[in-house]
Amino acid sequence: MTPRTIRAWSFVHKWTSLVCTAFLLMLCITGLPLVFHDEIDAAFETEAWEPARPGGPLLSYDAILEAALTNRPGEVPLYMSFDIDRPVVNVTTGPTPDAPGSRMHFASFDRTSGELVPPAPDGGGVMDFLLQLHTDMFLGLPGMLFLGAMGVLLLAAIVSGVVLYAPFMRKHDFGTLRRQRSRRIKWLDHHNLLGIVTVAWLSVVTLTGVVNTLATPILDLWKAQQLSDLTEGFEEGRVARAESSLDAAIAKARQAAPGMTLQFVAFPGGAYSTDHHYAVFLHGETPLTENLITPALIEAETGRLAGLREMPWYAKALALSQPLHFGDYGHLPLKILWALLDLATIVVLGTGLYLWLARKPQSARESGRPAALAVRSAS
Amino acid sequence: MNRYRAAPRSLRQVFAVPLALFLVSLFGLIAALVGNGMWDAAGWIALSLPVAAIIRARRRS
């Protein structure tokens, strides 16, 4: 590599990192507790919840929906989801069918009695706050897309960092940490080592994070490309009411997709359905396919099954990006590794910032060498 | 002290260990996703290697 190309890559590495570092530090710090949100939620649970009538008959989904709407007068249903390990149905409602996440209301109901399941105490909403900060910084879609752009910059910083690793390591063995040398050299070596060993993990978490920030446009594209034919002949702009039986819709969906498991129902007018259909989402049974959801669409007013629609590749990519970003697909050991690699990334960001702040004075750069390489030749 | 050895390392030497860690990490990330049980364990072992590389370098220097 000529000094000229090294300078160009240094320029890319410096500026892409500088722009995104503050946001990346926020994402790494808020992401750390979010990795363990299941464990943290469980720790806050004071006592185990019991259904009102254990083993008793289960109420219909229609009855639960009615209970949920009575509980939230004036609101419309958005989503219904189903707990795996207890007879509990969760209903998300909102003031309008397209209500943003911040205005949605989530409530859980006992299927044996229709009673509300008391929400688990969550430490005063700290985890919700962290999640919102991590997702969109309370700025909605623009905030999400902005963080996605920071992710793209980080990918450029990773690539340029890998390129620059070569000239820095020409005279050193892998893993060299000159700890007895100047503070700058010590942190440079840490930056290089921690950066290069976390490349694969950080690239995957960054790339999947960027895909997650595109969830809204991806779902809009899916609806425009794959579901628009279903809405032909319907009155445009009017959202259907949830009139036909939900139990019948779920039964039809199960029949259309034998061997698949019910995951959630999206009501008409929201991000996951058309203005006129219930979208009953089912997922597969193997570890890989349980992340891939397929909707059965049922006309909300007539109960007619419009069909089962396999998700296109970009929606599947979004679905697989979630576990790969959250690190929640391999039990506690994987989460601990996620946390350790996250901490290593914080060190890379911190040392990178330090190396910029403690950079050589102007004279070293005016001599025609990038400041960072001046350190190498000084060693 | 070999770190002051004059001969510069080739690109292949510089990237041998990083490339191995990269491939092993990717394998680990995917292994835990495609299966349970042994696959999860394979994922844990593979993804712990980059962490082990950091610990080893710190203990040796």
Side-chain angles (χ1 to χ4, degrees):
Chain A
M1 239 187 287
T2 66
R4 204 185 157 81
T5 48
I6 292 175
R7 257 205 311 279
W9 282 108
S10 304
F11 181 85
V12 173
H13 191 62
K14 179 169 80 180
W15 286 106
T16 51
S17 321
L18 275 179
V19 173
C20 69
T21 289
F23 297 98
L24 259 300
L25 275 172
M26 179 277 284
L27 290 171
C28 285
I29 292 165
T30 54
L32 197 54
L34 286 173
V35 171
F36 298 104
H37 78 93
D38 285 331
E39 287 74 13
I40 292 172
D41 289 350
F44 274 110
E45 223 153 86
T46 41
E47 50 192 284
W49 176 85
E50 285 288 335
R53 285 184 273 282
L58 300 179
L59 291 170
S60 68
Y61 297 121
D62 290 310
I64 298 292
L65 179 61
E66 206 183 308
L69 293 176
T70 309
N71 182 49
R72 302 290 293 178
E75 294 200 335
V76 293
L78 305 175
Y79 302 105
M80 179 182 276
S81 64
F82 314 93
D83 280 10
I84 300 164
D85 48 357
R86 51 183 201 169
V88 168
V89 172
N90 311 293
V91 182
T92 307
T93 56
T96 56
D98 58 353
S102 56
R103 303 203 59 196
M104 293 179 186
H105 181 264
F106 179 90
S108 304
F109 295 88
D110 182 347
R111 263 195 92 187
T112 69
S113 66
E115 300 288 321
L116 259 176
V117 176
D122 65 347
V126 173
M127 294 304 280
D128 282 345
F129 174 85
L130 292 177
L131 179 62
Q132 199 76 36
L133 191 61
H134 190 92
T135 310
D136 64 6
M137 303 185 294
F138 297 89
L139 297 172
L141 182 59
M144 254 168 107
L145 295 176
F146 176 81
L147 289 177
M150 294 301 108
V152 172
L153 285 180
L154 176 62
L155 287 173
I158 293 172
V159 171
S160 53
V162 171
V163 172
L164 289 172
Y165 181 79
F168 276 107
M169 295 305 286
R170 270 289 155 88
K171 287 187 181 168
H172 307 291
D173 287 326
F174 171 81
T176 300
L177 294 174
R178 291 163 292 169
R179 295 212 279 188
Q180 66 286 6
R181 302 292 296 265
S182 75
R183 192 190 291 176
R184 193 185 149 79
I185 288 178
K186 181 176 95 170
W187 289 127
L188 175 68
D189 284 351
H190 278 83
H191 185 78
N192 287 340
L193 173 69
L194 270 63
I196 203 72
V197 303
T198 55
V199 161
W201 176 83
L202 186 59
S203 301
V204 167
V205 172
T206 306
L207 195 64
T208 54
V210 171
V211 173
N212 281 321
T213 67
L214 300 175
T216 306
I218 286 175
L219 291 174
D220 285 347
L221 181 66
W222 163 65
K223 280 169 28 174
Q225 284 202 334
Q226 312 268 320
L227 303 185
S228 58
D229 63 306
L230 294 176
T231 59
E232 278 167 22
F234 283 96
E235 189 188 328
E236 210 162 307
R238 189 184 65 87
V239 175
R241 293 162 52 85
E243 276 173 353
S244 72
S245 163
L246 202 54
D247 292 87
I250 290 170
K252 277 179 188 166
R254 283 188 194 278
Q255 212 174 3
M260 292 183 80
T261 306
L262 178 62
Q263 183 160 337
F264 70 98
V265 178
F267 287 87
Y272 279 85
S273 190
T274 74
D275 284 352
H276 312 285
H277 295 82
Y278 296 132
V280 179
F281 281 85
L282 305 118
H283 64 79
E285 284 292 345
T286 69
L288 188 61
T289 60
E290 73 185 5
N291 290 303
L292 296 174
I293 50 176
T294 303
L297 292 127
I298 292 108
E299 286 176 16
E301 285 175 349
T302 64
R304 194 182 72 84
L305 175 72
L308 198 66
R309 290 288 169 102
E310 199 185 328
M311 295 290 244
W313 67 268
Y314 49 84
K316 284 181 177 160
L318 174 64
L320 285 177
S321 285
Q322 291 172 351
L324 281 170
H325 188 75
F326 306 152
D328 59 355
Y329 59 99
H331 308 285
L332 192 57
L334 193 70
K335 293 181 182 185
I336 291 170
L337 287 165
W338 232 252
L340 292 173
L341 291 162
D342 183 79
L343 288 169
T345 303
I346 292 176
V347 174
V348 174
L349 293 168
T351 51
L353 198 58
Y354 169 83
L355 290 168
W356 176 70
L357 290 171
R359 64 195 181 279
K360 288 277 162 183
Q362 201 67 28
S363 60
R365 281 183 287 165
E366 276 167 1
S367 71
R369 291 179 305 186
L373 282 191
V375 169
R376 187 174 69 96
S377 47
S379 63
Chain B
M1 300 268 277
N2 63 3
R3 62 172 176 261
Y4 296 117
R5 200 162 55 194
R9 284 126 182 89
S10 66
L11 269 189
R12 181 183 295 211
Q13 285 170 314
V14 167
F15 281 111
V17 180
L19 182 66
L21 286 173
F22 181 88
L23 295 175
V24 166
S25 302
L26 276 192
F27 164 78
L29 286 166
I30 294 165
L33 190 63
V34 298
N36 289 325
M38 288 306 289
W39 285 101
D40 279 334
W44 303 334
I45 293 167
L47 262 193
S48 61
L49 290 183
V51 178
I54 298 170
I55 295 168
R56 181 169 176 273
R58 282 190 58 91
R59 296 185 75 168
R60 279 162 57 103
S61 61

